[in-house]
Amino acid sequence: MWNFLWKMLSFPVFFGIVHLRGLVRQEDVYKPSPPTIHKSPAPQSNSDGQTIAITCKGNIHSNESTYYLYNSRHQNYTQLLHLTGDEKTATFVIKMGTDSIGNYSCNYKTKVLGNWVYSPFSKHISITQEDEWQRKAEQATQGKRHNIERKSITADGITKLEEHDATYINVAFQAE
């Protein structure tokens, strides 16, 4: 009797779960997580000025993906990188300047069960006016050479120029 009752009650529940599962899209079940985003000085800056690297890392499900970088000051993405293989991290290089100021975020698309699926957007990071001022200060410092003449006093008290960055050496005076 209990066995019959169990079958009667479990069939509608089981049927409802199967039916509900058919209504849920595969993209919703396998939705990628938002990427992480980081900002750092680029490993190599060129003579045109300082650059900043923005790195986005996502939960990639396939052998190909595309990352998009957005600046809040622009309507569309500012850069995109297509990755293949096992790569999960995209590094965008931003040349510092007044056009680079803004809030940056990224997202990516990856294939899930043969279909392209977009991730949510990352948190945002900022490139600020202070970053631009720091860049200009570093450029000004690099552009100036500091030639300071160093002097030392010899034993007889006569000053002579030194080629090295030496301090005062062998200072000795005779008592009169």
Side-chain angles (χ1 to χ4, degrees):
M1 167 96 171
W2 289 107
N3 196 13
F4 176 75
L5 208 66
W6 173 251
K7 286 181 182 179
M8 291 294 290
L9 293 175
S10 65
F11 180 73
V13 172
F14 177 73
F15 181 73
I17 291 172
V18 170
H19 182 68
L20 179 63
R21 186 171 180 181
L23 296 176
V24 176
R25 296 184 328 204
Q26 292 175 350
E27 293 85 8
D28 293 335
V29 174
Y30 299 105
K31 187 150 186 113
S33 59
T36 58
I37 187 168
H38 300 283
K39 171 181 84 167
S40 61
Q44 49 183 318
S45 294
N46 57 25
S47 60
D48 294 337
Q50 180 184 4
T51 55
I52 289 184
I54 295 180
T55 305
C56 295
K57 183 176 182 180
N59 185 16
I60 305 301
H61 293 286
S62 66
N63 285 339
E64 62 180 316
S65 60
T66 303
Y67 281 84
Y68 301 91
L69 181 68
Y70 298 86
N71 182 334
S72 60
R73 295 177 54 189
H74 301 279
Q75 192 170 17
N76 294 322
Y77 62 86
T78 57
Q79 292 184 38
L80 71 92
L81 285 172
H82 186 72
L83 303 179
T84 57
D86 293 337
E87 294 179 284
K88 295 185 181 204
T89 303
T91 301
F92 299 97
V93 177
I94 307 295
K95 181 180 174 187
M96 286 299 296
T98 54
D99 291 341
S100 62
I101 294 171
N103 294 323
Y104 287 85
S105 62
C106 62
N107 75 333
Y108 61 93
K109 69 178 181 180
T110 183
K111 280 192 177 180
V112 174
L113 302 173
N115 297 316
W116 286 106
V117 178
Y118 287 85
S119 74
F121 285 93
S122 67
K123 295 180 179 181
H124 76 272
I125 58 167
S126 297
I127 294 179
T128 62
Q129 184 67 43
E130 288 78 21
D131 292 324
E132 174 63 8
W133 291 335
Q134 181 180 357
R135 178 192 69 85
K136 287 182 179 180
E138 288 174 2
Q139 277 184 330
T141 302
Q142 291 173 356
K144 295 179 183 177
R145 289 192 95 164
H146 299 285
N147 293 328
I148 301 172
E149 290 184 3
R150 303 288 181 185
K151 298 180 179 181
S152 65
I153 300 174
T154 62
D156 58 1
I158 299 173
T159 304
K160 73 173 191 175
L161 295 175
E162 288 290 325
E163 293 178 1
H164 307 294
D165 188 13
T167 55
Y168 299 101
I169 46 178
N170 296 331
V171 177
F173 295 99
Q174 289 182 333
E176 293 182 19

